[in-house]
Structure formats: C-alpha cells, structure tokens
C-alpha cells in the first residue's frame, strides 16, 4: 500500500470494532497516545540550520527536500573547505517503477534547490555546476557526480526558504468542494520558467477525467506484483521500524502500531491481493483521487537529465510557495512511470494534458485544501556525507 492515509487504511483494513478491540488488548498499549511518526525519526525537521560548518548547516535543510518514496538517495562529498559534490546513492534506487531513474534525478533537483535556499538562510550563496563530468545517459545513472557546489559568503534568504521546514507531501484526501481560487492557480502557472512549464486545472470535467486516470495508474502499479512489491519492501511498519530506517513508506501510529505488533498488519498481508490490507490500499487511493479538487503538472522541453533536475527544482519552489499559501500538495507519479504495463495509461494522460514529444511531463500533483500531517522521517544529515576517495577523483 504505497503512501498510506493511515486512519482510513485502518478503518477499511479492520472491518470492525471487535477486531480493533481484540488487537488493542493484544498489543497492550494506549492506542491514541502513539504518534504516527516517532519523534526520533523526525529530528532533522527540528534541528535544521544546525551544524559545525556552513555546508553542514545548508545540508541540514537540503535533507528535508521531497524525494521519491522517501529514499533520500543523496550522497555528499565534502571537498576542501567551501565545496561539496552531490552524487546519487545508487544503493537507493527504484528499478521497477523508475527504471531509468528519472524520478530519482528529479529528487536530486529538489535537493539542490533546498540546499541553495538553505545556504541562503545561513548567509551563503551556492554556485551549482551540473554534471561536471558529463550527464548520465538516458537509460540509467552511473557513478559520476550530479553537481559540484561552491559556497561563498554574501548570500541572503529567499522568502520561500522560510517554508522548508513546514512543507509536507499531504497524502490524504483534500476537501473536494473547496477549490483553489483562479488567482491561486494563476500564481502557480506564473512559476513557469524557460526550463519548466507549470500548468494547473480546477475545471471539474477535466479534473474528473484526470482523477480517473490517476486511480487507474495506481491500480496498474498495485496489481502488478513486481512494481507493487518494490513499495511493500520499503514499507516501515510501526514505530520501531520507522525509527530504525527513517526512510521509505512509514506506516505507524495509533492502531497500526497495535496491529503491527499483533501480527495483523504485516508485509505479507499487505502483499497478498486477497487480503483486506491490500484492498484497503486501493480504497485509500480511490479516496485520495476522489478528494482531488485541482491538479498541477510540470513539463520540460525534453527529457535530458538537466530537464529532470530543473523539474525537481521547480517542483520544490512551487511546493514551498503552496505551503506559504496554506494549500496542500501531493505528487502522484504512477502514470508517468516508464514500464510497459503503464504505457497505455501514460499515453492517455499525455493526450489529456495535450503534451507531445519531445516534451516530457515530469510530475503531476493533487492540490487543494488538506489536513495537517506529520513530517515524514528523515535520516541524520551526517549519514549522507561519504568519504571522498571512495566516490571520485580529486575536485
Ligand atoms: C519525483 C517525485 C515523485 C513522487 N511521487 C509520489 C507518488 O507517486 N505518490 C506519493 O504519495 N508521493 C510521491 N512523492 C512524494 C514523496 O513520497 C515524499 O516527498 C517523501 O515521502 C517525503 O515526504 P515529504 O515530501 O512529506 O517530506 C514524490 C516525490 C518526488 C520528488
């Protein structure tokens, strides 16, 4: 069940109060007192801005960037005393649902944008050189760096940076009746640049067609064992796993905790297409796609790695401005994924969005008014910093 709405998931999974009670007794814990995400997993949201040198301080913000499946596939090499180099952590990829690592590279763009904004908050500016040893090929990524970053004094805070610690991917149904205003949608599309076109719609007929397609994409991914299992393996069930891994798809809090401990919610149950848990995941997605008053999408002129980075940077800037406007945002990427079983649905999406090759829709996200949600887990920023010689030649 990728990206759970935990409360609904529970309601549908259990199918009855009796089961809840039995499980609560079996778990022997105060259900309502267990938070969805344990404190230990979200420390970086509280300690952002701290660090021994300016690079660590900037990195402490960068790790809060949105990224696919919360894998946090970033590695940093510190070089000299004012430079660093960003690599993809190739032990954290999604080969089934992201076979060319397009989304992983978008996540690098989100990271770079957040790094630049974070550096500004601590008074530094960043000069970013993309792919200093050449770009990755279209088929996959390799050992070469994504970017060299040089920090120098004289930076200033971009107003958007104030939202870095407040931004969330809101994986919940939104208020379907409360639409973002036309002015708000215009403000989103005004974030388009020469590199990335941003479009949005709240037109009821179009949104209804897109909702149907988004759900179809989710169903294709979920019913295909190899793509669905990629998500199942990344599920962290209960506070112990969430605090241990601090990544992936976190399923915790309240009754999930109890049912996890009681052995009712397990990875095996979630993977079994005949189980309540499996169906609950699909029902949940239906509730989310139904609870979608408007959509926003990001298109680049081509699909080079530089385009993907630009899309990630634009997505994060939009996410921060949306946060400041009090709106909720939630990417849904299934339809955009490049495996054969998704090809037909992707084609229909592109027709609906009136998008033609060589341009590429890189992201699509639900937007509207949603509930407040917990921050997602993050690993300690220090764990991203790898010893230089293992990664590359000298700067
Ligand atoms: C390229 C990209 C694709 C994403 N696709 C999805 C998606 O399909 N479904 C979803 O629930 N979240 C998606 N997300 C959001 C991530 O799951 C989210 O950023 C991550 O779990 C961390 O949570 P946070 O954004 O609240 O910090 C995507 C994010 C990025 C950058």
């Amino acid at each position: 069940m990728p990206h759970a709405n935990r409360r609904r998931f529970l309601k549908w999974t259990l199918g009855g109060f009796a089961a809840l009670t039995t499980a609560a007794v079996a778990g022997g814990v105060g259900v309502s007192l267990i938070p969805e995400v344990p404190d230990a997993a979200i420390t970086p949201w509280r300690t952002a801005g701290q660090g021994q040198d300016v690079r660590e301080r900037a990195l402490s913000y960068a790790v809060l960037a949105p990224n696919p499946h919360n894998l946090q596939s970033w590695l940093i090499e510190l070089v000299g005393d004012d430079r660093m180099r960003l690599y993809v952590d190739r032990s954290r990829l999604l080969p089934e649902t992201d076979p060319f690592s397009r989304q992983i590279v978008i996540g690098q763009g989100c990271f770079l944008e957040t790094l630049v904004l974070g550096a500004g908050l601590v008074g530094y500016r960043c000069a970013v050189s993309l792919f200093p040893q050449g770009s990755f090929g279209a088929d996959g990524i390799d050992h070469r760096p994504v970017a060299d970053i040089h920090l120098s004094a004289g930076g200033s805070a971009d107003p958007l940076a104030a939202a870095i610690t407040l931004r969330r991917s809101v994986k919940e149904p939104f208020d379907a009746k409360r639409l973002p205003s036309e002015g708000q949608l215009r403000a989103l599309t005004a974030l388009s640049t020469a590199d990335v076109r941003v479009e949005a719609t709240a037109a009821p007929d179009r949104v209804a067609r897109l909702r149907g397609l988004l759900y179809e994409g989710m169903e294709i991914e979920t019913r295909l064992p190899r793509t669905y299992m990629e998500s199942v393996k990344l599920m962290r069930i209960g506070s112990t796993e969430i605090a241990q891994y601090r990544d992936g798809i976190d399923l915790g809090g309240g009754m999930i905790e109890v049912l996890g401990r009681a052995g009712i919610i397990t990875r095996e149950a979630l993977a079994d297409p005949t189980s309540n848990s499996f169906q609950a995941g699909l029902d949940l997605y239906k509730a989310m796609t139904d609870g979608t008053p408007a959509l926003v999408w990001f298109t680049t002129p081509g699909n080079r790695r530089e385009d993907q980075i630009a899309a990630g940077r634009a997505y994060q800037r939009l996410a921060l401005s949306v946060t400041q406007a009090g709106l909720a945002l939630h990417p849904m990427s299934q339809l955009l994924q490049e495996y054969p079983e998704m090809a037909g649905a992707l084609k229909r999406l592109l027709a609906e969005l009136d998008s033609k090759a060589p341009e590429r829709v890189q992201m699509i996200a639900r937007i509207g008014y949603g509930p407040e949600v917990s921050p997602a887990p993050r690993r300690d920023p220090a764990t991203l910093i790898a010893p230089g010689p293992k990664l590359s030649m000298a700067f």
Side-chain angles (χ1 to χ4, degrees), residues 140-160:
I141 57 167
D142 56 50
H143 65 282
R144 290 173 295 171
V146 173
D148 284 344
I149 302 121
H150 178 208
L151 287 96
S152 56
S156 56
D158 182 316
L160 282 181

Side-chain angles (χ1 to χ4, degrees), residues 187-244:
L188 298 181
T189 56
L191 295 172
S192 297
T193 63
D195 298 329
V196 184
R197 190 172 77 241
V198 181
E199 291 166 272
T201 183
D205 289 353
R206 198 172 192 201
V207 170
R209 289 194 298 274
L210 286 166
R211 281 178 189 153
L213 279 167
L214 288 172
Y215 180 71
E216 189 185 333
M218 190 62 220
E219 202 169 9
I220 292 169
E221 179 180 310
T222 305
R223 293 202 183 279
L224 192 63
R226 67 168 205 281
T227 50
Y228 180 58
M229 284 312 292
E230 188 166 79
S231 291
V232 171
K233 284 185 194 138
L234 290 172
M235 288 175 188
R236 313 299 183 212
I237 304 170
S239 56
T240 308
E241 282 192 7
I242 296 172
Q244 181 188 343

Side-chain angles (χ1 to χ4, degrees), residues 3 45 66-70 103 106 110 167-169 171 285 330-334 363 376 378:
H3 308 300
W45 294 92
N67 66 96
H69 270 346
N70 205 14
Q103 297 185 74
I106 295 175
C110 296
R167 183 207 57 81
R168 315 273 181 261
S169 298
K171 302 171 183 186
Y285 254 84
H330 174 207
M332 286 190 100
S333 305
Q334 288 70 31
M363 288 186 76
R378 285 298 189 281

